[in-house]
Amino acid sequence: MRRVPAFILRPFTIIGQRLPQGWGDLLRQLALFLFAYQGYQMVRGLADGKASLAIANGERVIEFERSLGTFFEPGLQQALIAHGWLIDGANFMYLNAQFVITTGFLAWLYLFRNEHFYFVRNMFLVAMGFALVGYAAFPTAPPRFFPEDGFTDTIAALTNVDQDTGAVSLLVNPYAAVPSMHIAFALMISVPGMMLSRVAVARVFWSLYPLLVLFVVVVTANHYWFDAAAGAAVACLAAITAVRVLSRVGPPAWAWRSAPSEAAA
């Protein structure tokens, strides 16, 4: 068996030496998130066979909000839809921010604040587990499926991107409105982001980021306020589980390690 030339292996060796825990640990983290994604795909397959139930559940959410007098989403969207720059920005952020900002933050955390990464990773995995149970038990069509209630699918209407067909559909579960993982992910990176930021501008950005995501998912008719609230609840439950359970039964790396300045604050 021929050996791999040293000049090919050398770049991987250099990169591995600069990784916080080496190649083995990095590959384990990627495998964990890949496993979670496969669970998402499995639940997606189950939900695809429950389209009528998802539509009915979407109608139930609308009626629930109406009963509380909080069905404001269509009015907000129609009041702003004439402002093309605003809707274009919201569409772009909805299609890109979930992946780019969330993945970018996790990569930065792993590489430069590795001692905090495993706590945040555990939160994400627990939250994704809760979400999969919710998607399987309560598949729900998002607002964009209900134009008769005043909603406009701004992404399909203004960007010519159909979330339910083609390559985009591989990453989008059309019946996964409850809970909103856009909101859950936003909270699970914004709170650590605020705690770890060393400049005021960064802390302000992370404090406002979940509110920005809430505006985006509502104004694009991809979520109701109800499932945004459910997403926030999932994030809170995941954080509690990471603190009260996993950090106690797992290795020390699974606990959030406060810096001396943070502990004093």
Side-chain angles (χ1 to χ4, degrees):
M1 184 175 180
R2 297 181 60 182
R3 296 179 59 185
V4 178
F7 74 89
I8 293 178
L9 294 177
R10 182 170 176 76
F12 293 96
T13 302
I14 294 174
I15 294 173
Q17 291 171 346
R18 296 187 178 183
L19 290 173
Q21 305 293 335
W23 277 109
D25 183 73
L26 176 61
L27 293 176
R28 280 193 295 274
Q29 308 316 315
L30 294 175
L32 284 172
F33 281 101
L34 179 61
F35 176 78
Y37 176 74
Q38 291 303 317
Y40 170 88
Q41 289 293 80
M42 179 183 70
V43 172
R44 172 193 165 88
L46 295 174
D48 283 346
K50 300 179 179 179
S52 59
L53 176 60
I55 296 295
N57 286 338
E59 292 172 342
R60 291 187 180 98
V61 171
I62 291 173
E63 289 305 312
F64 173 72
E65 292 191 4
R66 281 183 170 143
S67 70
L68 296 178
T70 58
F71 186 56
F72 67 88
E73 297 96 334
L76 174 66
Q77 187 187 47
Q78 295 308 315
L80 298 176
I81 203 165
H83 301 280
W85 63 271
L86 188 63
I87 300 301
D88 287 343
N91 288 339
F92 179 84
M93 187 170 179
Y94 182 82
L95 291 172
N96 297 281
Q98 176 85 326
F99 177 78
V100 175
I101 295 180
T102 303
T103 305
F105 178 82
L106 290 174
W108 172 83
L109 192 67
Y110 183 81
L111 293 173
F112 301 106
R113 297 288 189 275
N114 186 260
E115 67 275 15
H116 300 295
F117 171 81
Y118 303 95
F119 177 87
V120 176
R121 177 209 63 188
N122 287 347
M123 277 201 304
F124 267 76
L125 294 177
V126 171
M128 293 166 78
F130 285 149
L132 293 181
V133 173
Y135 297 156
F138 193 71
T140 308
R144 60 189 172 85
F145 276 54
F146 302 98
E148 66 276 11
D149 289 295
F151 291 106
T152 298
D153 186 346
T154 61
I155 292 176
L158 303 178
T159 68
N160 295 320
V161 174
D162 188 345
Q163 300 181 69
D164 304 315
T165 61
V168 177
S169 67
L170 298 176
L171 303 174
V172 176
N173 184 342
Y175 306 125
V178 181
S180 168
M181 293 309 285
H182 277 79
I183 297 299
F185 286 1
L187 285 170
M188 289 189 295
I189 65 174
S190 65
V191 175
M194 283 189 290
M195 296 177 68
L196 297 174
S197 295
R198 296 173 179 173
V199 296
V201 172
R203 288 194 291 271
V204 170
F205 169 78
W206 287 120
S207 67
L208 296 177
Y209 179 66
L211 296 176
L212 176 61
V213 173
L214 175 60
F215 170 78
V216 166
V217 299
V218 169
V219 82
T220 58
N222 279 284
H223 284 288
Y224 315 91
W225 73 256
F226 172 79
D227 42 74
V234 164
C236 291
L237 288 172
I240 292 170
T241 303
V243 171
R244 297 289 181 86
V245 180
L246 299 181
S247 64
R248 295 180 179 180
V249 302
W254 286 13
W256 180 268
R257 304 181 189 181
S258 298
S261 58
E262 295 170 1

